Structures are given as structure tokens and as C-alpha cells.
Amino acid sequence: MSRPGSYSLQSRLLVSVSILLTVFLGLTGVVLDRAFRASAEAGIAEQLQVQIYVLLAAVDQSDGDFYFIEDLREPRFSQLNSGLYGLIRDADGQVLLRTPSALELAVNELALGRELSRGDTQFRRLAGASELEFFVSSYAVTWENRPAPVIFTVLEDTATYQLEVNQFRRSLWSWLGGLAALLLLLQLALLRWGLAPLRRLARDLVSIERGDSETLGEDYPRELNAVTTNLNLLIQSERKQQQRYRTTLGDLAHSLKTPLAVIQGEMAGLRSGPDHAGATASDTVRADVIQEQLDAMNQIVGYQLQRAVRGDNTSTLARQVNLAEATARVARALEKVYADKSVKITQQVDEQTFFLGDERDLMEVLGNLMDNACKYGRGRVLVSSSSVGTDSGAAQLRVEDDGSGILPEANELVLQRGVRLDTLPQGQGIGLAVVADIVHSYGGQIQIERSSLGGAAVIVTLNNIRVSNLRESTAR
């Protein structure tokens, strides 16, 4: 099975077209080559027939012997071993006359044949000695005072013919190869043009995933309209369903917390002592136990509801949230809350740093971490971000304070999901557990170190943050 992304439609189509072009142009080349050779051989047959007529016009007989009465019109007949040879033979194959070019031709080694009747013409290809090949044309004629026909034969070696064929083949395959390359380039351009809507669809989906847009556009080809329409409906349905989950769970949180608040109010009366409304000491003890469980229930309800509302946070359908702006909003609010401590929150977050996810999750993380830093610090808080390695899609968010810090052996404890919440002091541990759960749901990591300010440094590493150059600014 191929892994996702191991091939592309463009590559498959290009390979298919390449195979088709190779087969088609290869067969075309073979057909053209055969047609050229057949045409060339037909031309040679006609030329050799003309040469036979030249011999007929130049030959005469006297006392039973044949001789040339004039110079041959074809110069190659007069040149020794020129490649064009003329012979006159009797019915028994005996050579009666040969042209000067054929004086050294080993006629006996050639199977010229004898079975020709008067007026018959024969053209064929003949293998000779020393790997030589000849085109042979023979014509049987009736000569005066001779009962048997006389055979005029013209031979021409295949060297010139083979040279022409080789030149034609080189030219043919060069042109076909160039044509194939040109067609492949054109096909590649056509494929890129034809598949451009699919690439645009992929870019639009990435844009939605990164939070740059809300839905897919509408200017797609008819073949993709059904796909894009259904995808838009799916996206809208998912967001509406997510919103319904959040609304329903928010209502549930409100419905649970109100009765708990009423019960806590009633418990306050029972804990006021034995002299209050006839309450006994055992009532007070029971009230303490119930109050302790109510506090634990409040923490559990808050923690578990936040986990349920967040669900599975991935980058799908994410929105871009400016990290610097979100940090500044939380910083302004916390500086007012902790005005009595004169808290100063310093930010080192670039304005072009974006969190790709749900804004409420980011505000939950920043709110918890920065609130803890303000609460347990002595007045100085530093919030900074930095890229991780060369990957601009991964970054670290650091929240540091100048407090007493967290003991190293408690670093993992405060982040564990399995810690019993009712064993933690009021207001401690739940916030960090919620932050850890949010960070893990986005595939990130969280760790606690010693801060350069002297207190605790909570470091959050996420893969869905884009970070550019850092800029230092102080929140007012």
C-alpha cells in the first residue's frame, strides 16, 4: 500500500502519456522506416531496369559473340568495381558479356538464377561473397538466331542504399525524439493548467487549516463544485456542532455550579457552631466534611468541563490568533487585578506571531500561566516567544516570574492528569493541569524550569505557532 502523498495525479498522468507517446511514436517510426525502405527499393528497381535498357541499346552480336557497339551511357559501367555491374548470360547461366566494371566480379559465387522465360523481369536482393549484398534485376529477351532467351542482368551493391537508409533513420528518430520531448513539455504544461484547480483547492484547504479563511471559494470548475460545496457544508456543520457543544457544556457548567453554590451557602450555616440554630458538634463535623467534598466537586466540575469543551484540538478549521495582542489583553487585565502588588509584565512577543487554533484555548493558557506568575511572583513577569530550530511552524512560549519558584520534585506533579485534585491547595494545580491538557491536545509539550528572574519558568512548545523576529515591548 502506498503511503499518503507518495504519488501525484500529475506524475501518474505524465507517465501514462509518456508511455503512450513512446509506443505511438515508436510504431510510427517503424512504419515510416519500412515505407522508406520499400520506396527506396522500388526506385532502385526502376533504375536498374533503365540500366538494362541501356545495355540492350549498346549490345550487338557477331558470329555468336556479343560486344558493345558504343560507349555505355552509364559511366559506372566503365569503371572497375564501381558498384554497378552489367552481365549478359545465356539460358544455361554462362556469361556471354560483362561490362568493364564487372571484370573482377565473381559471378560463379552469385546465385543469379536461370528460370526466366522470354519477356520475364525479376528483381531481388542477393547476398554475395565477403558479406556483400546486391540488388539484382534480370530481363529475359529473344535474340535473333538464338532458340533460348538471353538474360540481361544488372547488379548494384547495397552500400549506397544502406547509407541512405541509415541517414533517413537518424533523421527520423531525431525528429521523432524531438517531437516526443516537445509533446511531453506541452502535455506537462496542459496537465499543470488542467490540474491547477486541484492545487488551488489544496491551497484553500491549507488556508482554512491555518485560519486565514473561513470557507472555500466558489469559482471552481463544474467537476469540483459538488466537492467544494460539500466541504463547505461539512466545515460549517463542524463549526456549528462545536459551538453547540460549547454552549451546551457552558449551560451545564452554569447549571451545576449554581446548585453547588446554594449548597455551600447552606453549609456555612451548619459550620457556624453548636449554638447556631440548635446545631450540634457532629453537625459541624459533617458540615466540614461536606464542605471539603463540595470544594473538590467544584474543582472537578471546572476541570472536567474545560476538558470536554476543548475536545480534540487540532489545526483543522483553526483560526489565526495574534499572540502579541492576546498577551497584551491578558497583561492589561492582570496588572489591574494585581495593582496592589505593582505587577510589571514585560512582553517579548513579535506582532507577527500567530497561534493557529481556538482563541479561547490560547486565552486559557495565557490567563492561567500569567495569573500564576502574578500571584506567586514578587511583581516582575516576563512573557516571551522564540522559534524552535529552523522550523517556523514550531515555537516556544515562556512565562517567567520572580517568585520562590516550584520545587524540582514537584514540577511533574503539578502537570499530571492523574493527581487527585482534592489533595491540592485551593487555587493551585488545577490551572496548570488545564494548561497541560490544552497543550497536549494541540500536540505540544509543557515543562517547568528555573527562571532567570529567580522564580518559575513555564515553557510551552507548540507546532502550530508562526514566529518572526522578536520585538521587545513593555505592557502599560
Side-chain angles (χ1 to χ4, degrees), residues 93-112:
Q94 185 69 32
V95 176
L96 303 176
L97 181 66
R98 65 176 68 194
T99 60
S101 61
L103 293 178
E104 295 182 356
L105 182 65
V107 178
N108 295 332
E109 298 178 4
L110 300 175
L112 296 177

Side-chain angles (χ1 to χ4, degrees), residues 1 27 30 35 66 69 89-90 124 131 134 151 162 173 190 193 201 235 269 276 323 346 352 374 379 409 412 420:
M1 178 183 295
L27 292 176
V30 171
F66 285 91
I69 59 176
R89 299 175 298 136
D90 58 20
R124 58 197 176 107
E131 298 182 355
F134 299 93
I151 302 174
Q162 197 62 47
W173 293 114
L190 289 175
W193 174 76
L201 176 60
I235 292 170
H276 184 269
L323 185 59
T346 301
Q352 298 302 315
C374 293
E409 56 270 21
E412 297 296 330
R420 290 178 54 84

Side-chain angles (χ1 to χ4, degrees), residues 96-352:
L96 303 176
L97 181 66
R98 65 176 68 194
T99 60
S101 61
L103 293 178
E104 295 182 356
L105 182 65
V107 178
N108 295 332
E109 298 178 4
L110 300 175
L112 296 177
R114 305 174 185 177
E115 302 297 330
L116 287 178
S117 302
R118 293 181 179 88
D120 289 346
T121 301
Q122 184 184 63
F123 175 81
R124 58 197 176 107
R125 194 165 179 167
L126 182 66
S130 303
E131 298 182 355
L132 293 177
E133 279 191 316
F134 299 93
F135 289 112
V136 180
S137 181
S138 300
Y139 180 47
V141 300
T142 300
W143 202 268
E144 59 185 18
N145 300 324
R146 282 185 173 271
V150 176
I151 302 174
F152 283 74
T153 301
V154 176
L155 300 88
E156 184 175 14
D157 64 30
T158 60
T160 303
Y161 161 82
Q162 197 62 47
L163 180 62
E164 292 179 357
V165 169
N166 291 339
Q167 290 177 345
F168 173 78
R169 285 175 174 172
R170 285 194 296 270
S171 178
L172 173 65
W173 293 114
S174 297
W175 278 101
L176 289 179
L179 180 61
L182 178 61
L183 289 176
L184 286 177
L185 290 176
L186 291 176
Q187 185 65 34
L188 178 60
L190 289 175
L191 286 175
R192 292 186 61 83
W193 174 76
L195 296 176
L198 290 178
R199 289 194 296 273
R200 181 158 56 87
L201 176 60
R203 289 195 300 268
D204 289 348
L205 289 174
V206 172
S207 179
I208 292 175
E209 182 180 349
R210 293 170 62 90
D212 295 332
S213 59
E214 296 289 330
T215 59
L216 295 171
E218 298 181 355
D219 53 338
Y220 283 98
R222 289 191 301 270
E223 293 79 4
L224 294 179
N225 274 339
V227 176
T228 56
T229 300
N230 289 333
L231 282 176
N232 280 332
L233 290 175
L234 179 62
I235 292 170
Q236 294 171 6
S237 174
E238 195 275 344
R239 283 178 173 156
K240 289 179 181 179
Q241 187 178 26
Q242 190 179 65
Q243 186 61 40
R244 284 197 300 270
Y245 287 159
R246 293 181 182 276
T247 302
T248 302
L249 291 173
D251 293 341
L252 177 61
H254 178 75
S255 299
L256 289 175
K257 287 187 175 182
T258 300
L260 287 174
V262 173
I263 295 173
Q264 283 182 320
E266 293 296 326
M267 288 300 101
L270 294 176
R271 297 181 60 195
S272 59
D275 297 332
H276 184 269
T280 63
S282 61
D283 292 334
T284 302
V285 173
R286 286 197 299 271
D288 290 339
V289 174
I290 294 173
Q291 183 62 51
E292 181 180 357
Q293 296 304 313
L294 283 174
D295 291 340
M297 288 172 63
N298 271 318
Q299 292 179 347
I300 292 172
V301 167
Y303 177 60
Q304 297 297 336
L305 284 178
Q306 289 184 74
R307 290 182 62 194
V309 169
R310 284 192 309 277
D312 183 15
N313 291 317
T314 63
S315 59
T316 304
L317 309 182
R319 291 180 172 87
Q320 286 193 141
V321 184
N322 190 290
L323 185 59
E325 293 179 0
T327 304
R329 291 202 304 270
V330 175
R332 286 193 296 268
L334 290 176
E335 286 183 340
K336 293 178 182 178
V337 172
Y338 294 97
D340 57 333
K341 294 181 64 173
S342 300
V343 172
K344 180 182 179 182
I345 302 176
T346 301
Q347 302 171 66
Q348 292 181 348
V349 182
D350 186 77
E351 294 181 353
Q352 298 302 315

Side-chain angles (χ1 to χ4, degrees), residues 385-397 460-463 465 467:
S385 63
S386 60
S387 60
V388 178
T390 58
D391 185 3
S392 60
Q396 284 186 344
L397 175 67
V460 174
T461 303
L462 289 173
N463 297 321
I465 293 181
V467 179

